[in-house]
């Protein structure tokens, strides 16, 4: 029985899939780090990332199963669910056998797991479209810190590039220290070794104050329901929301 | 999902120092205007006029596919995006304000009526546009919702509102979502101008019958309300047909028309309200009807006795509204002249199912979409998944759980490959217990003489929304 460890990138994962096929192996697990308690029967192999092989697998998936399947695999990669990549690998294997019918196999265990993981990731992206808050800094850049559960920064960037197309902005994932940047024309995602020193402009404090007061006045007192509010907007996101007393 | 995801986005090492420089000083300011002077005055207007607008419950930002243009800012998301939630659990997605709360009318239920002693404020179009753009750039809101009290005259007020929207669209180049109220009695040309700029327009029908309207809002009349609704419906239809021939036809109110009525301020039954809603959907092709539980804000002898807002009733009306729009029910199936109000214990769909047990069980692998939708515990999404999955495999009970079917309720009404896991028909009482919501059952477990206080004792039990993401959508 074999299992693979990879370097954590999508290319690494796709190389592992390539290896599984071309060396006739069927790994029971594909994860980033070897677990501390190693099972006597499992052989752990570290897979070296190879961009060429990864590209081949990507093309193969898109052609045989469809681009939707590849997007699902990407979502699994971006998620922080345990075993997400193992399920993604099984999904790819199943997809090569069944091709496009995999989209209809909603009762299948693997497909179901992958769909649930993708649902989690996409739901968080949608939530973040609403919950991300930009702050105007003295340099003129709009800065938005947040801490998502899954690695979704790159999925947020196209939406905000299209919407806030004439302002320079930065979306900073504080837990992973990566950021999406936009300069009025195109966006990119990079790692941040050094945390940015952010200074907010005066206008920013004025607007935040207006927003906070406006927000407080919106509640209808006879219908107050904190549990309902937290059900829609979990407390872990309140850290970066000005109206819920988050960072200034 | 149509987002393009680059595959090598992780760990590209860019010039880190350049990035820090960008944030700290070297960058460009992209503001059309900044609110610098008169800040306190603007803030006080925003507080008063935002607070005055909160009883207009429409919060939706969906239905429009407006795209951004070069040099502009903003776009509309067709599914709508919720940006925040108030302390009472309602979604905030638009900057919802009144243009002014200085009203010449004197409606019995309204906090802004002429005879109330209140601070009166009026915005200027520029102030409103400034605030909207500033909030939008920070992603606080999805768009703008503008309503108003009637100052001087309907025409005067409507003209000011249209001017605000025009400013936003043409000079601030704003392409986000705009919901504009149409003032009953205003010049049709003004309303049409508004429609060319806004994504959605609405006129509040306020009360379900002519009689109640006459009693509580004597300066409004059903005619002045129905005229703009009719003309909006006609214009939407005409422009839509024209677009089939001429692609460059501008969009007129692309997200459709809606309305709102107050529930609990007048004695009409749920049956009357549902028949009215059904008529509005069929004849005016409205996108949505909103129901607002009456909150006592004013003292007036024409209003009913003071009571907490009828939240459960509002919830049942929304449930029934969804049944009309997505589940192909008709109002007569849910209620009738003999059965005029919704049950407290059961939601309208379960209540209908219990009254029609002779139509069940249905076989999940064969039944068509309309019949699947009628099963309690099977919603629109689960029904669609069943239809998809059964193209390639047999559907069994363990699959149904994966599709999101609530088996506790559905099992009495379906078979899977001929197998049945529910109770027989003469166990109606026990089936009913399975159909009732858990919180309601706990609440009802109280002594008989206290049941009259059901609503007041357990306000949290009658929350409109358990955890469904469907509320507020569409």
């Amino acid at each position: 029985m074999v299992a693979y460890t990879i370097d954590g990138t999508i290319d690494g994962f796709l190389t592992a899939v390539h290896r599984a096929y071309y060396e006739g192996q069927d790994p029971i697990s594909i994860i980033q780090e070897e677990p501390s308690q190693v099972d006597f029967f499992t052989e752990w192999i570290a897979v070296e990332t190879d961009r060429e092989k990864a590209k081949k697998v990507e093309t193969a998936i898109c052609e045989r199963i469809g681009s939707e399947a590849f997007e699902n695999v990407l979502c699994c990669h971006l998620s922080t669910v345990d075993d997400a990549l193992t399920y993604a690998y099984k999904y790819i294997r199943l997809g090569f056998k069944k091709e496009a019918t995999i989209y209809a196999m909603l009762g299948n265990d693997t497909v179901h797991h992958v769909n649930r993981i993708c649902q989690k990731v996409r739901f968080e992206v949608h939530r973040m479209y609403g919950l991300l808050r930009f702050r105007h800094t003295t340099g003129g850049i709009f800065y938005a810190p947040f801490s998502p559960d899954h690695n979704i920064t790159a999925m947020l960037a196209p939406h905000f590039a299209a919407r806030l197309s004439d302002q320079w902005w930065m979306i900073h994932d504080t837990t992973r220290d990566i950021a999406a940047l936009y300069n009025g024309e195109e966006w990119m995602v990079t790692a941040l070794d050094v945390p940015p020193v952010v200074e907010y402009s005066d206008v920013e404090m004025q607007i935040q104050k207006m927003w906070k007061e406006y927000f407080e006045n919106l509640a209808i007192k006879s219908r107050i329901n904190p549990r309902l509010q937290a059900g829609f907007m979990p407390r872990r996101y309140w850290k970066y929301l000005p109206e819920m007393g988050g960072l200034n | 999902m149509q987002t393009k995801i680059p595959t090598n986005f992780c760990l590209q090492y860019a010039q880190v120092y350049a990035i820090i420089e960008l944030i700290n000083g070297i960058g460009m300011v992209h503001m059309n205007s900044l609110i610098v002077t008169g800040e306190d005055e603007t803030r006080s207007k925003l507080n008063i006029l935002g607070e005055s607008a909160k009883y207009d419950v429409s919060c939706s930002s969906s239905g429009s596919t407006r795209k951004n243009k070069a040099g502009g800012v903003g776009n509309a998301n067709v599914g709508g995006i919720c940006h925040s939630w108030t302390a009472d659990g309602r979604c905030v997605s638009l900057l919802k304000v009144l243009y002014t709360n200085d009203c010449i009318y004197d409606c019995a239920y309204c906090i802004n009526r002429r005879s109330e002693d209140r601070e009166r404020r009026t915005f200027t179009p520029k102030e409103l546009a400034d605030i909207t753009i500033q909030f939008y750039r920070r992603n606080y809101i999805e768009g703008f919702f503008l309503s108003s009290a009637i100052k001087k005259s309907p025409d005067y007020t409507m003209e000011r509102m249209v001017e605000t929207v025009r400013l936003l669209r043409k000079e601030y180049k704003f392409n986000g979502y705009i919901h504009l109220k149409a003032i009953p009695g205003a010049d049709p040309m003004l309303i049409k101008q508004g429609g060319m700029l806004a994504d959605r327009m609405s006129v509040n029908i306020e009360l379900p019958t002519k009689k109640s309207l006459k009693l509580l809002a004597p300066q409004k009349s059903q005619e002045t309300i129905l005229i703009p609704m009719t003309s909006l419906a006609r214009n939407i239809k005409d422009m839509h047909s024209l677009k089939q021939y001429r692609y460059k036809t501008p969009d007129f109110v692309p997200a459709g028309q809606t309305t709102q009525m107050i529930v609990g301020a007048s004695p009409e039954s749920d049956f009357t309200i549902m028949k009215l809603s059904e008529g509005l959907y069929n004849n005016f092709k409205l996108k949505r009807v909103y129901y607002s539980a009456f909150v006592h804000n004013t003292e007036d002898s024409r209003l009913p006795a003071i009571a907490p807002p009828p939240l459960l009733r509002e919830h049942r009306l929304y449930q029934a509204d969804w049944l009309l729009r997505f589940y192909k029910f008709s109002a007569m199936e849910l209620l009738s002249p003999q059965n005029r109000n919704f049950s407290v214990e059961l939601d309208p769909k379960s209540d209908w199912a219990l009254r029609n047990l002779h139509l069940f069980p249905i076989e999940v692998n064969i039944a068509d979409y309309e019949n699947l939708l009628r099963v309690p515990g099977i919603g629109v999404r689960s029904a669609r998944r069943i239809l998809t999955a059964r193209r390639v495999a047999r559907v069994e009970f363990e699959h149904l759980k994966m599709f999101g079917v609530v088996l506790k309720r559905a099992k009495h009404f379906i078979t899977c490959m001929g197998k049945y896991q529910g109770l027989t028909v003469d166990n109606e009482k026990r089936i009913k217990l399975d159909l009732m919501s858990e919180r309601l059952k706990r609440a009802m477990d109280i002594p008989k003489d206290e049941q009259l206080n059901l609503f007041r004792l357990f306000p949290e039990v009658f929350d409109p929304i358990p955890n469904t993401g469907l509320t507020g959508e569409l």
Side-chain angles (χ1 to χ4, degrees):
Chain A
M1 282 195 324
V2 287
Y4 293 157
T5 58
I6 55 172
D7 69 352
T9 61
I10 186 70
D11 286 340
F13 170 71
L14 294 173
T15 317
V17 176
H18 187 273
R19 183 184 175 136
Y21 265 94
Y22 281 83
E23 311 220 352
Q25 293 170 330
D26 188 17
I28 56 163
S29 170
I30 301 184
I31 48 180
Q32 200 167 334
E33 275 171 27
E34 230 178 87
S36 42
Q37 289 170 318
V38 182
D39 168 12
F40 187 60
F41 298 103
T42 323
E43 187 197 340
W44 285 91
I45 305 177
V47 177
E48 282 209 8
T49 308
D50 183 336
R51 179 93 187 102
E52 296 298 315
K53 293 185 180 160
K55 199 86 187 121
K56 261 204 222 167
V57 177
E58 182 186 334
T59 329
I61 294 176
C62 291
E63 278 171 15
R64 276 193 73 171
I65 323 175
S67 53
E68 202 185 308
F70 186 68
E71 298 225 342
N72 290 345
V73 167
L74 263 181
C75 278
C76 286
H77 170 256
L78 295 175
S79 76
T80 45
V81 176
D82 295 332
D83 293 341
L85 288 177
T86 313
Y87 277 112
Y89 162 70
K90 290 193 185 135
Y91 183 78
I92 296 174
R93 260 220 122 91
L94 186 63
F96 279 136
K97 247 194 290 187
K98 304 282 186 177
E99 297 183 1
T101 59
I102 200 174
Y103 299 128
M105 294 168 65
L106 301 176
N108 177 287
D109 188 60
T110 306
V111 173
H112 175 68
H113 268 106
V114 167
N115 283 342
R116 295 281 285 175
I117 295 171
C118 296
Q119 229 176 315
K120 286 193 169 110
V121 174
R122 288 187 182 127
F123 185 57
E124 185 162 48
V125 172
H126 182 80
R127 225 178 203 160
M128 278 306 150
Y129 284 165
L131 292 179
L132 206 61
R133 299 275 184 265
F134 288 91
R135 298 140 212 271
H136 186 236
T137 60
T138 45
I141 312 290
F142 281 89
Y143 171 72
F146 76 129
S147 55
D149 299 337
H150 308 290
N151 189 358
I152 54 170
T153 315
M155 288 170 77
L156 296 177
H159 168 87
F160 287 106
R163 173 170 287 206
L164 305 175
S165 53
D166 65 346
Q167 64 195 56
W168 292 44
W169 49 254
M170 171 166 159
I171 300 174
H172 179 198
D173 181 344
T174 46
T175 41
R176 297 177 180 81
D177 275 330
I178 63 176
L181 307 164
Y182 178 74
N183 66 355
E185 271 156 50
E186 48 181 17
W187 60 272
M188 64 179 252
V189 181
T190 103
L192 286 183
D193 290 340
V194 181
V197 176
V198 189
E199 210 183 280
Y200 298 119
S201 62
D202 295 326
V203 169
E204 174 60 28
M205 301 325 286
Q206 281 177 17
I207 306 287
Q208 268 195 28
K209 202 163 168 209
M210 285 176 87
W211 169 245
K212 279 190 222 182
E213 286 178 6
Y214 167 74
F215 180 82
E216 267 157 36
N217 279 318
L218 285 180
I220 295 180
K221 305 280 184 297
S222 49
R223 289 178 71 145
I224 290 206
N225 194 335
R227 243 183 34 199
L228 187 62
Q229 186 187 29
F232 281 120
M233 189 164 68
R235 284 173 228 268
R236 63 182 183 275
Y237 297 118
W238 291 11
K239 212 167 34 158
Y240 296 106
L241 298 179
E243 66 268 23
M244 303 309 297
L247 292 179
N248 271 331
Chain B
M1 189 184 73
Q2 283 146 356
T3 52
K4 172 188 72 116
I5 308 169
T7 54
N8 58 342
F9 64 83
C10 304
L11 305 179
Q12 273 181 343
Y13 289 101
Q15 304 89 329
V16 176
Y17 296 115
I19 297 168
I20 296 180
E21 270 173 42
L22 276 178
I23 297 175
N24 281 343
I26 307 169
M28 282 171 279
V29 179
H30 288 270
M31 296 284 189
N32 278 332
S33 70
L34 302 174
I35 305 174
V36 179
T37 53
E39 188 237 330
D40 281 332
E41 177 59 24
T42 311
R43 242 179 56 221
S44 120
K45 283 189 196 180
L46 183 63
N47 288 338
I48 293 174
L49 294 170
E51 205 247 327
S52 303
K54 67 190 180 192
Y55 296 101
D56 209 313
V57 294
S58 167
C59 75
S60 133
S61 51
S62 60
S64 174
T65 51
R66 191 179 290 270
K67 301 265 178 296
N68 201 355
K69 299 189 196 126
V73 63
N75 55 24
N77 183 295
V78 74
I81 296 176
C82 295
H83 283 254
S84 194
W85 282 265
T86 57
D88 56 53
R90 295 179 304 140
C91 136
V92 178
S93 79
L94 304 172
L95 172 65
K96 201 187 305 184
V97 285
L98 299 186
Y99 183 82
T100 175
N101 67 344
D102 192 358
C103 200
I104 53 175
Y105 292 169
D106 205 26
C107 308
Y109 47 81
C110 184
I111 45 169
N112 297 309
R113 64 178 181 167
R114 198 177 60 212
S115 51
E116 288 291 303
D117 182 19
R118 250 174 105 64
E119 277 187 76
R120 307 284 173 177
R121 291 277 194 284
T122 305
F123 271 119
T124 64
K126 185 168 183 305
E127 272 177 326
L128 267 179
D130 277 341
I131 300 175
T132 306
I133 288 283
Q134 298 290 358
F135 281 3
Y136 193 79
R137 286 188 185 281
R138 289 163 176 74
N139 204 41
Y140 294 164
I141 52 174
E142 195 59 18
F144 184 44
F145 179 111
L146 187 60
S147 179
S148 187
I150 321 290
K151 182 172 180 170
K152 292 194 194 167
S153 74
D155 275 346
Y156 173 81
T157 314
M158 192 72 209
E159 192 275 325
R160 295 279 80 205
M161 290 164 73
V162 173
E163 173 57 21
T164 310
V165 177
R166 190 203 65 80
L167 198 66
L168 264 175
R169 284 276 189 245
K170 301 294 177 194
E171 287 173 39
Y172 287 64
K173 308 255 190 280
F174 176 68
N175 293 307
Y177 187 91
I178 295 184
H179 182 148
L180 180 65
K181 301 298 278 194
I183 307 286
D187 189 327
M189 276 314 293
L190 282 172
I191 295 182
K192 190 160 187 192
Q193 273 173 32
M196 302 294 278
L197 299 164
D199 289 283
R200 174 168 285 182
M201 288 190 78
S202 57
V203 189
N204 283 359
I205 216 165
E206 303 294 11
L207 292 155
T209 56
K210 217 167 167 171
K211 187 167 158 203
S212 300
L213 192 65
K214 197 146 186 237
L215 174 69
L216 299 178
Q219 285 134 325
K220 300 183 180 169
S221 76
Q222 217 173 55
E223 287 76 40
T224 51
I225 292 174
L226 290 179
I227 288 174
M229 287 178 76
T230 318
S231 89
L232 276 174
R234 204 185 52 236
N235 277 322
I236 293 172
K237 182 160 167 265
D238 288 346
M239 297 293 267
H240 189 71
S241 312
L242 198 56
K243 211 174 165 84
Q244 316 291 327
Y245 295 106
R246 222 180 114 234
Y247 179 68
K248 286 212 162 132
T249 308
D251 284 319
F252 185 86
V253 192
Q257 197 193 160
T258 63
T259 191
Q260 167 173 302
M261 64 177 102
I262 305 172
V263 165
S266 51
E268 288 87 1
S269 64
D270 292 339
F271 180 57
T272 312
I273 294 176
M274 288 323 295
K275 286 292 281 179
L276 175 62
S277 298
E278 192 177 38
L280 288 170
Y281 286 129
N282 292 339
N283 302 327
F284 287 90
K285 301 282 184 270
L286 288 191
K287 268 290 157 73
R288 205 155 154 196
V289 176
Y290 287 91
Y291 309 96
S292 176
F294 176 57
V295 178
H296 259 275
N297 286 316
T298 55
E299 280 189 25
D300 195 300
S301 54
R302 295 171 284 175
L303 296 170
I306 296 193
L311 299 182
L312 181 64
R313 188 176 180 206
E314 186 198 271
H315 179 39
R316 292 277 178 254
L317 283 168
Y318 276 120
Q319 287 175 322
D321 183 273
W322 245 253
L323 292 178
L324 290 186
R325 288 192 292 138
F326 300 110
Y327 291 75
K328 309 191 203 220
F329 274 83
S330 74
M332 285 299 285
E333 287 179 290
L334 299 173
L335 293 171
S336 66
Q338 294 75 39
N339 178 23
R340 302 192 77 96
N341 286 305
F342 290 120
S343 147
V344 166
E345 301 165 323
L346 285 177
D347 64 273
K349 185 170 156 186
S350 303
D351 188 60
W352 176 87
L354 266 191
R355 279 184 283 123
N356 289 279
L357 280 173
H358 55 278
L359 297 174
F360 297 102
I362 60 170
E363 169 56 50
V364 145
N365 283 282
I366 300 177
D368 62 13
Y369 181 60
E370 283 76 20
N371 285 325
L372 282 174
L373 283 182
R374 298 257 162 166
V375 174
I378 298 185
V380 171
R381 291 200 181 142
S382 315
R384 287 192 188 149
R385 285 181 189 142
I386 292 174
L387 289 183
T388 308
R390 70 186 192 191
R391 288 193 337 242
V392 300
R394 289 198 298 246
V395 173
E396 301 278 4
F397 274 103
E398 58 263 22
H399 300 146
L400 289 181
K401 196 149 172 270
M402 289 190 208
F403 301 159
V405 171
V406 183
L407 277 175
K408 184 171 127 205
R409 307 167 83 210
K411 65 184 180 190
H412 305 293
F413 302 91
I414 53 173
T415 60
C416 279
M417 298 306 297
K419 286 171 272 187
Y420 182 68
Q421 286 188 4
L423 299 169
T424 52
V425 161
D426 33 300
N427 273 299
E428 203 173 299
K429 272 212 169 61
R430 288 186 53 197
I431 298 179
K432 187 173 179 178
L433 276 180
D434 273 345
L435 291 175
M436 281 173 65
S437 97
E438 287 303 315
R439 278 145 137 205
L440 200 54
K441 277 192 272 193
R442 268 181 274 135
M444 303 205 94
D445 199 17
I446 49 173
K448 262 232 137 59
D449 52 0
E450 283 185 53
Q451 278 202 1
L452 289 169
N453 289 321
L454 207 60
F455 294 93
R456 200 173 317 178
L457 279 179
F458 299 90
E460 78 279 280
V461 169
F462 300 107
D463 294 340
I465 308 106
N467 256 313
T468 162
L470 276 178
T471 308
E473 260 181 29
L474 300 161

